[in-house]
Amino acid sequence: MVQHVNVIGGGLAGSEAAWQLARRGYNVKLFEMRPVRQTGAHATNRLGELVCSNSLGSKMADRASGVLQNELRMMRSMLLDAAEASAVPAGGALAVDRELFAQSVTEKLEKHPLVEIIREEVTDIPDEPTIIATGPLTADTLAQKIAALSGQEYLYFYDALAPIVTFESINMDVAFFANRYGHGDVEGKDGDYINCPLNRDEYETFVNALLNAEKKELREFETEDLQFFERCMPVEYIAARGFESLAFGPMRPVGLTDPRTDRRPHAVVQLRRDNIAGSLYNLVGFQTNIRYGQQKDVLRLIPGLENAEFIRMGQMHRNTFINSPTLLEPTMQFRGREDLYFAGQITGVEGYVGNIATGLMAAINIARHMEDKPTWAPPRETMLGAMCYYVTHAEAKHFQPMKANFGILPELPQRIKNKRERYQAYAARATEAMQTSLEQINLPDPIAETP
């Protein structure tokens, strides 16, 4: 009899987990509550929808996200394939047309004969093999059941979405195409990012307007002990830390020259292509919770965006995650139940690629558990292994989500002063460690997509 697994959540982690289990011959019940119940952050009912940025991070081999992408490639990730097939120009980053990406993921899962997609809200934890990948917007009823099961209070932080504008509304007499330091440039092309330069006076005017703008009330959420994930800090909160904070943060002008002055501007707002057609661009790092009406007025103070047409305004929402150091093994297995696994952002792993990777690993491990094989954790020398070790071994009292970065990897046996050479050494070691580990567990060739 073919065994089945429940996967709760049709985001990045859940979609990857469902695909990997189905390709290994398991019947999968994939539960996604949209459109029966919307989250307030998603825009469609598609599986694998990207809610915030459309970038999966740097694809360069000596960058942390590039290392993790390479590990996903070695593990045969379906979502990484979908991302590369729907990629848009973004210099050294892997950015995607978010609609094409989600459409591809949805169609693959809908067509697989072993995947049953169930559009309903799950209000209890099934008493059978299950992967919970409900993400940061887990519905309250299920969240309460998870809390009851774990005996732990949920932690939370607030996340924010960046605005999206139409390309035709950007004033290209002011804005210009360029990548920082020319990274990713090809002959005959100026760059993938649109840059809106600000001189000191324009920067001061913008920051003052940002600081004085009215923020939306967070009535639907608890507001006590308000916490933000540092990498998704709204721009108005960054500005409040110090007048030049933005110029040293998301508006840093390093590696860019304004063609009108042949000088580096005081600050720059970068926009990244959001779809293959190049008709939509999102403001990089410009998550915000300013009221919509004022948001337009403030953002139109940015040179080049004075007549911007906004397709999506910035907004803020609460992200929820479990206290993984007290609840999970590095294999993503729940410590209180052998046939229960967690994956994705609910575990405290941050970043699209990390979410995909933990979904893939949870699928491998729940399959190994059902086959009476020992569960598997990648070596800590790999980026995935280091992330899973971090979120399951960090100090529980002050646990915060973690993205892929070289700082969580074990130190190299020899000290390398040059940063680029050091990162290359980390990347080479991670690739070798992952390859050896996968050979040891004899990762099987997946069953054909359409048996």
Side-chain angles (χ1 to χ4, degrees), residues 309-320:
E309 178 187 359
F310 292 90
I311 299 301
R312 182 185 74 187
M313 303 307 301
Q315 61 174 292
M316 195 162 69
H317 57 91
R318 189 179 74 185
N319 280 357
T320 309

Side-chain angles (χ1 to χ4, degrees), residues 50 54 83 86-88 95-102 274-277:
L50 303 182
N54 70 320
S86 58
V88 299
V96 304
D97 180 315
R98 67 180 77 226
E99 290 191 10
L100 288 181
F101 172 76
D274 205 77
N275 62 353
I276 287 178

Side-chain angles (χ1 to χ4, degrees), residues 241-374:
R241 291 177 167 179
F243 206 80
E244 293 295 324
S245 297
L246 287 173
F248 287 91
M251 295 178 68
R252 62 192 183 281
V254 295
L256 296 167
T257 300
D258 186 345
R260 299 177 303 168
T261 63
D262 287 329
R263 298 176 60 185
R264 188 174 80 176
H266 183 74
V268 164
V269 174
Q270 285 200 309
L271 293 91
R272 179 176 53 228
R273 188 185 293 199
D274 205 77
N275 62 353
I276 287 178
S279 59
L280 301 177
Y281 277 76
N282 63 71
L283 279 65
V284 178
F286 257 66
Q287 300 88 352
T288 180
N289 191 49
I290 296 173
R291 286 190 175 277
Y292 287 168
Q294 291 190 39
Q295 196 174 132
K296 291 182 180 181
D297 293 338
V298 171
L299 295 178
R300 284 175 177 157
L301 292 173
I302 298 170
L305 298 185
E306 54 271 10
N307 297 309
E309 178 187 359
F310 292 90
I311 299 301
R312 182 185 74 187
M313 303 307 301
Q315 61 174 292
M316 195 162 69
H317 57 91
R318 189 179 74 185
N319 280 357
T320 309
F321 56 96
I322 61 174
N323 197 331
S324 292
T326 65
L327 302 177
L328 299 184
E329 300 291 347
T331 59
M332 298 292 101
Q333 185 181 48
F334 184 69
R335 289 177 180 168
R337 217 182 96 179
E338 291 185 346
D339 64 348
L340 179 62
Y341 288 75
F342 285 78
Q345 202 166 344
I346 194 172
T347 68
V349 167
E350 264 296 325
Y352 292 149
V353 185
N355 294 336
I356 294 169
T358 54
L360 201 162
M361 195 173 78
I364 290 175
N365 278 323
I366 201 167
R368 289 179 68 82
H369 167 73
M370 295 170 71
E371 295 161 9
D372 294 322
K373 297 177 181 178

Side-chain angles (χ1 to χ4, degrees), residues 66-346:
V67 172
L68 189 54
Q69 289 173 33
N70 183 53
E71 293 173 3
L72 273 178
R73 198 171 292 111
M74 296 168 69
M75 297 167 69
R76 308 184 186 105
S77 165
M78 181 270 280
L79 266 71
L80 183 64
D81 287 345
E84 292 174 336
S86 58
V88 299
L94 175 56
V96 304
D97 180 315
R98 67 180 77 226
E99 290 191 10
L100 288 181
F101 172 76
Q103 180 180 339
S104 173
V105 172
T106 303
E107 289 179 353
K108 279 183 173 291
L109 288 167
E110 286 177 341
K111 291 178 180 179
H112 201 293
L114 296 183
V115 177
E116 178 186 3
I117 300 173
I118 303 173
R119 298 281 186 170
E120 64 181 44
E121 180 183 351
V122 175
T123 57
D124 209 346
I125 302 172
D127 188 21
E128 50 194 11
T130 298
I131 295 175
I132 296 178
T134 45
L137 299 174
T138 301
D140 290 342
T141 302
L142 182 60
Q144 292 168 8
K145 294 298 175 63
I146 296 171
L149 175 70
S150 65
Q152 297 289 330
E153 292 287 335
Y154 258 68
L155 303 177
Y156 67 88
F157 60 96
Y158 283 81
D159 199 0
L161 310 183
I164 294 176
V165 302
T166 63
F167 171 71
E168 63 182 7
S169 69
I170 301 171
N171 181 3
M172 296 305 297
D173 290 334
V174 175
F176 59 95
F177 279 101
N179 299 335
R180 295 187 192 276
Y181 300 107
H183 288 165
D185 283 0
V186 295
E187 186 176 353
K189 187 177 180 181
D190 295 327
D192 299 320
Y193 289 82
I194 293 177
N195 301 273
C196 297
L198 295 86
N199 60 34
R200 179 175 291 276
D201 289 341
E202 291 166 336
Y203 176 79
E204 291 181 354
T205 298
F206 172 73
V207 173
N208 281 322
L210 192 67
L211 292 172
N212 291 319
E214 185 180 0
K215 303 178 186 66
K216 288 181 288 184
E217 295 180 8
L218 300 173
R219 295 177 180 174
E220 67 272 35
F221 302 129
E222 296 177 40
T223 55
E224 294 180 2
D225 300 322
L226 183 64
Q227 300 179 52
F228 290 107
F229 177 49
E230 192 69 22
R231 293 178 183 266
C232 293
M233 183 77 66
V235 287
E236 59 269 22
Y237 285 84
I238 298 175
R241 291 177 167 179
F243 206 80
E244 293 295 324
S245 297
L246 287 173
F248 287 91
M251 295 178 68
R252 62 192 183 281
V254 295
L256 296 167
T257 300
D258 186 345
R260 299 177 303 168
T261 63
D262 287 329
R263 298 176 60 185
R264 188 174 80 176
H266 183 74
V268 164
V269 174
Q270 285 200 309
L271 293 91
R272 179 176 53 228
R273 188 185 293 199
D274 205 77
N275 62 353
I276 287 178
S279 59
L280 301 177
Y281 277 76
N282 63 71
L283 279 65
V284 178
F286 257 66
Q287 300 88 352
T288 180
N289 191 49
I290 296 173
R291 286 190 175 277
Y292 287 168
Q294 291 190 39
Q295 196 174 132
K296 291 182 180 181
D297 293 338
V298 171
L299 295 178
R300 284 175 177 157
L301 292 173
I302 298 170
L305 298 185
E306 54 271 10
N307 297 309
E309 178 187 359
F310 292 90
I311 299 301
R312 182 185 74 187
M313 303 307 301
Q315 61 174 292
M316 195 162 69
H317 57 91
R318 189 179 74 185
N319 280 357
T320 309
F321 56 96
I322 61 174
N323 197 331
S324 292
T326 65
L327 302 177
L328 299 184
E329 300 291 347
T331 59
M332 298 292 101
Q333 185 181 48
F334 184 69
R335 289 177 180 168
R337 217 182 96 179
E338 291 185 346
D339 64 348
L340 179 62
Y341 288 75
F342 285 78
Q345 202 166 344
I346 194 172

Side-chain angles (χ1 to χ4, degrees), residues 2-5 15-28 72 74-78 112 114-115 131 359-371 373 376 438 441-451:
V2 177
Q3 293 176 294
H4 81 268
V5 180
S15 295
E16 184 70 54
W19 178 260
Q20 295 295 333
L21 285 164
R23 295 194 74 187
R24 285 162 173 78
Y26 290 90
N27 283 317
V28 180
L72 273 178
M74 296 168 69
M75 297 167 69
R76 308 184 186 105
S77 165
M78 181 270 280
H112 201 293
L114 296 183
V115 177
I131 295 175
L360 201 162
M361 195 173 78
I364 290 175
N365 278 323
I366 201 167
R368 289 179 68 82
H369 167 73
M370 295 170 71
E371 295 161 9
K373 297 177 181 178
W376 170 71
L438 292 176
I441 66 170
N442 192 27
L443 189 67
D445 288 331
I447 295 173
E449 295 179 19
T450 53

